[in-house]
């Protein structure tokens, strides 16, 4: 159950989705409503029917490093590359455009925050396990992770022959030092919240360690598969970013550009194929798309869903449209009026037209949700009735709760994720018919995630793909670091803790389904859909596949990427 192949994974055939991935195939409609997602100029051009490449190229490039981009990319050699054929080829530098980042950008293996940070971390460092494009847990620096009979100790076998970028071998001592750094009580790193059950990493020998827990956790291997848990040397200094990843540090200018070169001593056979990777920061999506269409970058991540069809008409461009478990819920505080009454919470859930939300907020690129997270979890409660908009039922529930003439609420929103503000606006329109008068209060992102973040009575949030137990640990327990809805249900907690310590997978899945049933009936989230992740790249880029994790550009797994031959 928790054993992993000791053989390196074969690269996925270039250009083909792997395993269980299936596209949602949703029809596109109402694209212009996505103007609220932070791409107003482009969206308005689409709406008015005046779209052309000139429109998008005319936007100019708001890139931190300015003219330097032209100097580093768009060379005739790259522009002449043709569509890839045959087996993977070695050589070339992949130029990746990503929006966001800034002066706070980091190369620290354990402090990734922005999208550009994550792309750097995945390129430079590696965790013991990882989630592949199908969201399956796979070996990386570990070959096997085995729990004891009481799930209090996990024995991890380390892959042999792995070297750090400076040539030193990776050993169990490095693994122990890595987790000590992450869980340092005086300076905890971003992955520490998922490691609260960890007491100690005991080094058995160079290639075996034991994770000794203070609480039985039957799915602790899931916690080891996080990108923010990259293994680093005992004497790690982020100023000299040494890892075991497929690429090595070459240069870094925060908010502008990161340059990495091929790790010639990489442990996985024949990979990476590229000579290097350049990650370029853009101030906004418009500038990033401009750069792709003018061949100044080879691939871009997290493009607005409203633009997929438009970009797909360019014969030079391929789209990666990935079904994910990403969710952008409305949060109702279950301990504050009016949401301390479960009938009000259910009324709000019945007020939502989920299909319309998918069409108008995600431009049809998403999957309808049922007020539950973790859709890829094997214990997901998929037998529960799909909740649909029912205005009559919503009114009845509000009347029973003491609101026969309707209810007024304030919804706090901010551009925390593409589509968040648009989702608030669409919900406000939908809820009117049920007698719910939504007053939208828009704030900036800094204010939203400031001191009041966990105090908003009715607001929004967003999460990437996780399985049920790690997700619940983050947001659904009284002591969770981000209990946005202030959920405090004793039966839910008991089922969570029992499931976490149950090694038998079938029994654990039953417990998870029971816990999800409670959340379905009594929880404080309105989870209306799961958003697709959209990326784009030049056709000469091969090896990128749709990825369920929610990370952009094939999970930033650039070790498998290669560039096609010259035309």
């Amino acid at each position: 159950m928790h054993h992993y192949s000791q053989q390196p994974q074969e690269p996925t055939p270039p250009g083909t989705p792997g395993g269980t991935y299936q596209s949602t195939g949703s029809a596109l409609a109402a694209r212009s409503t996505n103007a609220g997602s932070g791409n107003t100029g482009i969206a308005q051009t689409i709406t008015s029917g005046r779209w052309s490449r000139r429109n998008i190229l005319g936007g100019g490039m708001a890139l931190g490093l300015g003219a330097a981009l032209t100097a580093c990319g768009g060379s005739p050699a790259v522009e002449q590359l043709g569509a890839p054929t045959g087996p993977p080829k070695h050589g070339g530098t992949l130029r990746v455009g990503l929006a966001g980042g800034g002066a706070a950008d980091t190369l620290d293996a354990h402090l990734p925050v922005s999208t550009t940070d994550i792309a750097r971390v995945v390129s430079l460092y590696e965790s013991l396990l990882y989630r592949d494009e199908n969201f399956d847990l796979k070996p990386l620096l570990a070959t096997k992770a085995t729990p004891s009979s009481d799930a209090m100790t996990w024995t991890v076998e380390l892959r042999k022959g792995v070297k750090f970028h400076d040539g030193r071998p990776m050993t169990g001592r490095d693994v122990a030092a890595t987790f000590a750094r992450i869980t340092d009580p005086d300076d905890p790193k971003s992955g520490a919240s998922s490691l609260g059950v960890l007491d100690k990493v005991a080094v058995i020998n160079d290639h075996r360690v034991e994770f000794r827990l203070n609480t039985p956790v039957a799915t602790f291997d899931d916690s080891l598969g996080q990108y923010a848990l990259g293994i680093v040397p005992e004497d790690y200094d982020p100023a000299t970013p040494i890892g075991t990843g497929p690429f090595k540090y070459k240069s870094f200018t925060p908010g502008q550009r990161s340059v990495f070169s091929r790790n010639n001593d990489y442990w996985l056979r024949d990979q990476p194929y590229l000579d290097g990777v350049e990650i370029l920061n853009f101030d906004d999506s418009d500038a990033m798309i401009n750069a792709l269409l003018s061949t100044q970058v080879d691939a871009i991540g997290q493009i607005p869903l409203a633009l997929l069809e438009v970009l797909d008409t360019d014969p030079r461009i391929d789209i990666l449209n990935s079904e994910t478990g990403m969710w952008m819920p409305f949060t109702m505080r279950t301990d504050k009026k009016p949401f301390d009454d479960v009938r009000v919470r259910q009324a709000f859930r019945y007020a939502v037209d989920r299909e319309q939300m998918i069409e108008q907020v995600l431009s049809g690129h998403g999957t309808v949700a049922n007020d539950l997270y973790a859709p890829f979890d094997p214990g997901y409660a998929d037998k529960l009735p799909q909740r649909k908009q029912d205005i009559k039922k919503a009114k009845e529930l509000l009347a029973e709760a003491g609101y026969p003439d309707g209810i007024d609420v304030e919804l706090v929103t901010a551009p925390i994720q593409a589509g968040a503000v648009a989702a608030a606006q669409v919900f406000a329109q939908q809820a009117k018919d049920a007698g719910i008068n939504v007053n939208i209060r828009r704030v900036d992102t800094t204010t939203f995630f400031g001191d009041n973040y966990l105090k908003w009575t009715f607001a929004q949030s967003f999460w990437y793909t996780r399985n049920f137990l790690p997700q619940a640990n983050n947001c659904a327990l009284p002591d969770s670091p981000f209990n946005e809805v202030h959920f405090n249900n004793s039966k839910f907690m008991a089922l969570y803790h029992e499931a976490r310590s149950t090694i038998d997978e079938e029994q654990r899945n039953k417990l998870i389904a029971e816990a999800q049933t409670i959340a379905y009936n009594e929880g404080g989230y309105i989870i209306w859909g799961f958003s697709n992740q959209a990326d784009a790249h030049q056709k000469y880029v091969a090896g990128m596949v749709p990825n369920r994790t929610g990370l952009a550009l094939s999970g930033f797994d650039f070790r498998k990427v290669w560039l096609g031959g010259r035309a």
Side-chain angles (χ1 to χ4, degrees):
M1 175 174 59
H2 297 288
H3 290 233
Y4 306 97
S5 168
Q6 296 189 32
Q7 296 301 317
Q9 300 298 297
E10 293 293 340
T12 303
T16 60
T20 58
Y21 175 80
Q22 292 182 348
S23 173
T24 59
S26 301
L28 292 175
R31 295 177 195 88
S32 62
T33 62
N34 204 42
S37 66
N39 301 282
T40 309
I42 293 178
Q44 287 177 344
T45 305
I46 297 173
T47 307
S48 65
R50 293 181 289 106
W51 181 268
S52 70
R53 185 166 300 136
R54 180 177 298 174
N55 294 130
I56 197 167
L57 291 177
M61 279 192 245
L63 180 64
L65 53 118
L69 175 63
T70 304
C72 77
S75 67
V78 173
E79 290 175 356
Q80 291 173 6
L81 290 174
T85 59
K89 297 178 175 64
H90 286 87
T93 296
L94 179 74
R95 301 160 304 165
V96 176
L98 297 171
D105 281 0
T106 182
L107 291 170
D108 193 310
H110 308 132
L111 289 174
V113 176
S114 68
T115 301
T116 52
D117 287 343
I118 297 170
R120 284 186 285 270
V121 162
V122 175
S123 296
L124 293 172
Y125 312 99
E126 295 175 305
S127 52
L128 296 172
L129 306 170
Y130 81 111
R131 291 281 179 182
D132 72 1
E133 66 271 15
N134 300 310
F135 203 66
D136 292 332
L137 197 59
K138 292 289 183 68
L140 202 53
L141 295 184
T143 60
K144 187 190 301 182
T146 309
S148 60
S149 59
D150 60 0
M152 290 287 289
T153 300
W154 279 77
T155 301
V156 173
E157 304 290 342
L158 303 177
R159 193 177 296 280
K160 298 178 180 179
V162 177
K163 295 180 180 179
F164 287 111
H165 295 154
D166 60 1
R168 289 181 290 172
M170 180 198 73
T171 72
R173 294 184 300 278
D174 300 304
V175 174
T178 293
F179 282 87
R181 180 177 193 265
I182 294 168
T183 59
D184 180 353
D186 296 326
D187 185 20
K189 306 304 186 291
S190 59
S193 62
S194 65
L195 298 172
V197 297
L198 178 61
D199 267 352
K200 179 183 180 180
V201 180
V203 180
I204 308 304
N205 57 45
D206 281 355
H207 299 107
R208 179 180 294 170
V209 295
E210 288 183 354
F211 287 81
R212 297 175 182 173
L213 313 182
N214 53 47
T215 301
V217 180
T219 58
F220 185 72
D221 52 348
D222 197 351
S223 299
L224 299 179
Q226 310 299 319
Y227 58 75
L229 303 181
I231 304 303
V232 295
E234 284 186 273
D235 57 354
Y236 176 71
D237 181 353
T240 308
I242 293 174
T244 66
F247 298 97
K248 301 195 298 186
Y249 164 79
K250 187 173 181 180
S251 67
F252 172 54
T253 306
Q256 297 185 14
R257 183 196 302 172
S258 313
V259 182
F260 305 140
S261 61
R262 184 180 195 273
N263 177 8
N264 292 322
D265 295 322
Y266 189 55
W267 59 268
L268 192 56
R269 66 180 78 151
D270 209 33
Q271 290 184 11
Y273 304 119
L274 297 165
D275 288 336
V277 172
E278 292 186 20
I279 299 170
L280 306 172
N281 292 57
F282 289 84
D283 291 340
D284 55 49
S285 296
D286 294 23
M288 186 174 67
I289 294 171
N290 290 341
L292 180 73
L293 293 178
S294 59
T295 326
Q296 291 183 302
V297 294
D298 307 308
I300 59 175
Q302 297 182 331
I303 61 178
L305 294 171
L307 302 184
L308 287 191
E309 275 199 340
V310 175
L311 285 173
D312 205 28
T313 62
D314 191 315
R316 305 170 303 161
I317 305 298
D318 271 346
I319 301 294
L320 281 177
N321 191 355
S322 303
E323 176 186 313
T324 79
M326 292 191 296
W327 49 297
M328 188 167 53
F330 296 99
T331 58
M332 303 177 287
R333 276 193 64 167
T334 60
D335 63 336
K336 293 286 186 182
K337 289 185 178 298
F339 300 113
D340 58 347
D341 191 319
V342 68
R343 294 169 296 187
V344 174
R345 301 198 295 271
Q346 293 292 49
F348 275 56
R349 286 169 158 182
Y350 279 116
V352 181
D353 184 334
R354 296 155 198 269
E355 290 82 2
Q356 187 181 65
M357 292 286 281
I358 295 292
E359 293 298 329
Q360 295 194 355
V361 178
L362 305 179
S363 299
H365 296 285
T367 307
V368 169
N370 200 25
D371 297 319
L372 299 172
Y373 43 78
F376 303 144
D377 194 297
Y380 182 76
D382 56 3
K383 304 301 182 185
L384 293 171
Q386 174 60 56
R387 190 168 278 135
K388 297 179 179 292
Q389 187 183 51
D390 188 333
I391 297 300
K392 180 181 178 182
K393 181 71 171 176
K395 287 182 174 180
E396 290 174 352
L397 286 165
L398 287 175
E400 291 174 12
Y403 303 96
D405 300 320
I407 188 172
D408 292 346
V409 294
E410 179 183 79
L411 171 59
V412 181
T413 187
I416 57 174
Q417 181 81 334
V421 175
Q425 295 167 341
V426 173
F427 176 79
Q429 284 294 119
Q430 293 177 347
K432 282 183 179 179
D433 290 340
I436 300 171
N437 181 37
V438 179
N439 301 303
I440 295 177
R441 177 185 172 190
R442 178 168 176 169
V443 299
D444 60 68
T445 301
T446 300
T447 300
F448 186 91
F449 285 122
D451 293 338
N452 287 319
Y453 165 48
L454 297 178
K455 299 178 183 178
W456 304 123
T457 300
F458 188 38
Q460 292 171 282
S461 183
F462 74 93
W463 294 88
Y464 291 115
T465 309
R466 283 180 175 84
N467 274 349
F468 173 78
L469 291 173
Q471 181 63 69
N473 181 63
N474 271 277
C475 72
L477 306 174
D479 58 352
S480 293
F482 307 108
N483 189 354
E484 303 151 326
V485 300
H486 295 255
F487 195 52
N488 187 355
N489 184 291
S490 58
K491 187 174 181 181
F492 179 93
M493 284 190 289
L495 288 166
Y496 164 82
H497 287 294
E498 186 178 355
R500 190 171 70 162
S501 62
T502 300
I503 294 178
D504 182 88
E505 186 172 5
E506 183 177 353
Q507 179 60 24
R508 183 170 67 245
N509 291 341
K510 289 180 180 178
L511 295 167
I512 288 173
E514 284 187 54
Q516 287 200 322
T517 300
I518 293 174
Y520 176 84
N521 290 324
E522 303 179 38
Y525 280 120
I526 300 173
I527 305 175
W528 50 268
F530 300 109
S531 174
N532 285 16
Q533 166 64 44
D535 314 300
H537 61 81
Q538 308 288 351
K539 283 191 180 295
Y540 54 72
V541 177
M544 290 186 180
V545 297
N547 188 292
R548 283 182 158 187
T549 66
L551 296 182
L553 292 170
S554 202
F556 299 125
D557 195 2
F558 300 141
R559 65 191 168 108
K560 299 178 182 179
V561 174
W562 54 284
L563 303 178
R566 298 182 187 277

